Amino acid sequence: EEFGAQPLANMAWAYATAEEDRPSLFEGIADSAIAIQTDFTSQGVSNLLWAFSAAGYPEQRLFQSLATPASSVLCEAGHQSLANIAWAYSVANVEDSSLFNKQFVNVCVQKEHDFDYQGLRQLHQWNLWRKELKSDIALPHDLGTRCYNEFMKQTLISSDLQKQVVSVLHSVGLIVDEE
């Protein structure tokens, strides 16, 4: 039995959020999503793309296939959907001028005051990616600065791996400054 667009997005989101490593599941979701790419809502496409990036499956063909459908729902997209799409594409490193153009930036500017701290941080990462690509399409200076400032406010959290490495280094007598 085939899944529709929303159930596919929900399934990908659930597995990514649960941090379940299921490569064949994500591959199947990608295949199914590509087949019904025009059926996604703005929230559905943003959740699906976010899930693939968050889970570590930046499936290039999925991102390329969903760029046009994502661009067609930009105006109706909520602020979190815009931030999720921007962040997901930056993580996947998939550039598409049909999606990331002046219209995308204008929609972000129109919704500038709706973005919460998480959305601003995601947009900052997107903006960094745009600069890395040496793209003319990036956030205006004021919004970019606001995103940067919000990104810099976040508290750094040591990962379990970082804690283990520091512990091992301490056990052999090395003193390290933790971030």
Side-chain angles (χ1 to χ4, degrees):
E1 185 176 318
E2 281 191 35
F3 289 100
Q6 194 59 50
L8 286 172
N10 292 347
M11 191 179 337
W13 180 88
Y15 277 88
T17 303
E19 299 180 4
E20 287 287 328
D21 187 25
R22 307 285 180 162
S24 59
L25 174 73
F26 277 91
E27 186 177 320
I29 291 172
D31 291 341
S32 297
I34 290 168
I36 59 169
Q37 61 186 268
T38 58
D39 295 350
F40 284 92
T41 64
S42 60
Q43 183 177 1
V45 74
S46 76
N47 287 350
L48 182 75
L49 295 169
W50 176 90
F52 271 76
S53 287
Y57 297 107
E59 179 60 52
Q60 299 286 307
R61 63 191 177 88
L62 174 70
F63 281 80
Q64 290 165 347
S65 295
L66 290 179
T68 299
S71 67
S72 70
V73 295
L74 283 182
C75 290
E76 69 188 52
H79 57 75
Q80 192 59 53
S81 291
L82 287 171
N84 283 349
I85 289 168
W87 179 83
Y89 273 87
S90 65
V91 169
N93 196 26
V94 175
E95 162 61 326
D96 193 291
S97 60
S98 71
L99 175 57
F100 299 119
N101 51 35
K102 289 181 181 180
Q103 178 192 9
F104 182 85
V105 172
N106 289 339
V107 172
C108 288
V109 169
Q110 289 168 5
K111 299 180 185 207
E112 175 178 353
H113 299 291
D114 297 334
F115 289 108
D116 62 5
Y117 72 94
Q118 183 179 16
L120 292 169
R121 290 172 182 174
Q122 288 175 307
L123 286 178
H124 174 67
Q125 292 172 306
W126 177 81
N127 212 36
L128 286 175
W129 175 60
R130 303 307 297 170
K131 289 177 182 179
E132 178 187 340
L133 295 175
K134 296 180 178 25
S135 173
D136 293 335
I137 303 298
L139 298 175
H141 179 74
D142 289 349
L143 179 54
T145 299
R146 191 167 159 235
C147 293
Y148 168 80
N149 289 339
E150 190 58 51
F151 186 85
M152 295 307 291
K153 283 183 190 176
Q154 65 186 329
T155 305
L156 296 177
I157 300 170
S158 298
S159 69
D160 289 338
L161 175 61
Q162 185 178 6
K163 291 174 187 171
Q164 291 171 359
V165 168
V166 169
S167 176
V168 169
L169 292 173
H170 283 167
S171 73
V172 295
L174 294 175
I175 306 212
V176 294
D177 291 329
E178 293 185 56
E179 295 176 349

